Amino acid sequence: MNARLREARRDDIEAMHRIRLSVRENRLISTAINEEDYVAAIEETGRGWVVELDARIVGFAIGNARTGSIWALFVDPNHEKRGYGRKLHDTMIGWLWSQGLDRLWLTTEPRTRAQRFYEVAGWAYAGSTDGGEHRYELRRSAADATAAQR
């Protein structure tokens, strides 16, 4: 089985949303996110990537180049712990740095695997939101800036 990472397209939205709704943690509380939100996220305000395994999407990530936020990073629960999340993360972060951003941010529920994932990836805790989620930030280092210029 060969996994392939590629840029997300409109016709991937149904699969991305399926994954978003299937996760065990950081579940979507409001189902107010719709297809237009995904289109804007991957075509207007940022870019997205998917991991395909045998022509089936098993993970995706979307970064917002205007705000520096991580809009989404999810892996199908049946395909976790295979490095797909890290590959998506690193690709998205590299692209966001290449857009000239110096600081990125995200929110996640406390005491989750996602929180640990981001901490291991170098994200720093930056406080809690009014809703109780934890906010994390990542600042671009000199090494990131050099890599982004290549």
Side-chain angles (χ1 to χ4, degrees):
M1 293 193 275
N2 289 331
R4 178 174 80 109
L5 183 130
R6 65 167 173 79
E7 197 168 318
R9 306 180 300 249
R10 280 185 187 213
D11 60 349
D12 298 325
I13 291 172
E14 183 178 337
M16 290 189 296
H17 197 60
R18 172 189 50 79
I19 292 167
R20 178 66 181 92
L21 295 176
S22 74
V23 297
R24 295 181 185 115
E25 294 181 334
N26 283 336
R27 295 187 60 87
L28 187 60
I29 295 169
S30 165
T31 56
I33 294 177
N34 59 42
E35 183 173 338
E36 292 80 30
D37 296 320
Y38 283 89
V39 171
I42 65 175
E43 294 181 0
E44 297 169 24
T45 60
R47 186 173 290 174
W49 295 265
V50 298
V51 170
E52 278 184 323
L53 183 63
D54 296 329
R56 178 179 166 87
I57 294 172
V58 298
F60 76 99
I62 300 172
N64 185 313
R66 291 185 186 166
T67 66
S69 74
I70 305 308
W71 195 80
L73 174 54
F74 295 96
V75 175
D76 182 302
N78 296 318
H79 297 277
E80 294 174 346
K81 299 188 185 270
R82 298 180 190 179
Y84 302 148
R86 187 56 188 239
K87 182 68 173 168
L88 286 161
H89 172 274
D90 292 351
T91 299
M92 174 177 52
I93 299 308
W95 180 78
L96 288 166
W97 292 152
S98 77
Q99 301 305 297
L101 297 167
D102 291 320
R103 183 187 57 84
L104 307 177
W105 67 275
L106 62 87
T107 59
T108 191
E109 292 178 2
R111 296 174 301 283
T112 60
R113 287 176 303 130
Q115 176 185 348
R116 290 184 296 279
F117 172 89
Y118 290 115
E119 288 172 348
V120 167
W123 291 76
Y125 177 72
S128 294
T129 67
D130 291 340
E133 289 186 315
H134 285 184
R135 181 181 169 105
Y136 282 83
E137 292 185 353
L138 186 65
R139 296 192 183 274
R140 179 159 58 166
S141 68
D144 296 324
T146 301
Q149 291 174 355
R150 289 185 201 141

